[in-house]
Amino acid sequence: MYRDLKPENIMIGDDGYLKLIDYGFAKVVTKRTYTICGTPEYIAPEILLNKGHSKPVDWWTFGILIYEMHAGHAPFMDDDPMNIYKKIINTKPRYPEGFDSKLKSLVKHLLRRDLSKRYGNLVNGVSDIKNHRFFASVNYPELLAKRMQPPYLPTVSPVSSTESDFLAARAGAA
């Protein structure tokens, strides 16, 4: 389980493909774990209810991430983390006007409190997500082979000799 999916933990590589960083909360789990961790707006309800959790928490956070990327804010927000937790457990997300209908369908399937109904945790596993109509145009073999043109390619300047020396010295000290 990754357990900390959020915009701050996604970087764009120089090839335009996304990379996850910060594996501090990641954990190999065969059954369940009871560690309460994560960013308040992204924590799955089963973590908050402390009944034990496993891989489905990552599908919940994926739903939160997609919602935030489209709406510009997380679905459960408050200045007080305890109020965020109450909203996660007790309320359903409100979708802003203009929220893409296909994306809304996907997010609703990912933000199911009932694990037996959450996409990614059903009999078909990740296929339910990959085959959702929102992703209909994605060619997964091409994506995995990095043969698809990324929508954004960052401009990367060459590393100067001073930066290179610093990085080399730092790597040697580690």
Side-chain angles (χ1 to χ4, degrees), residues 2 4-23 65 146 154:
Y2 180 69
D4 203 19
L5 186 63
K6 58 185 177 180
E8 298 91 323
N9 287 343
I10 302 172
M11 301 296 290
I12 300 175
D14 59 359
D15 59 1
Y17 283 83
L18 301 180
K19 298 175 186 272
L20 288 180
I21 62 168
D22 189 357
Y23 287 79
L65 177 72
K146 294 187 175 182

Side-chain angles (χ1 to χ4, degrees), residues 61-132:
T61 57
F62 184 50
I64 299 288
L65 177 72
I66 293 170
Y67 180 104
E68 183 172 349
M69 291 174 72
H70 193 62
H73 58 83
F76 308 106
M77 297 185 315
D78 197 282
D79 292 335
D80 180 355
M82 292 306 291
N83 288 335
I84 294 171
Y85 302 151
K86 288 176 187 174
K87 289 178 181 182
I88 289 169
I89 292 169
N90 298 314
T91 65
K92 291 184 178 182
R94 299 179 89 183
Y95 296 87
E97 190 174 322
F99 202 96
D100 181 87
S101 62
K102 291 177 187 174
L103 193 57
K104 182 178 179 181
S105 168
L106 177 61
V107 171
K108 281 184 170 186
H109 286 293
L110 291 166
L111 297 185
R112 297 284 173 110
R113 286 182 190 84
D114 183 344
L115 295 178
S116 68
K117 296 179 181 174
R118 187 179 301 163
Y119 268 24
N121 195 45
L122 305 178
V123 174
N124 296 323
V126 71
S127 294
D128 290 321
I129 297 166
K130 290 169 66 175
N131 294 329
H132 188 277

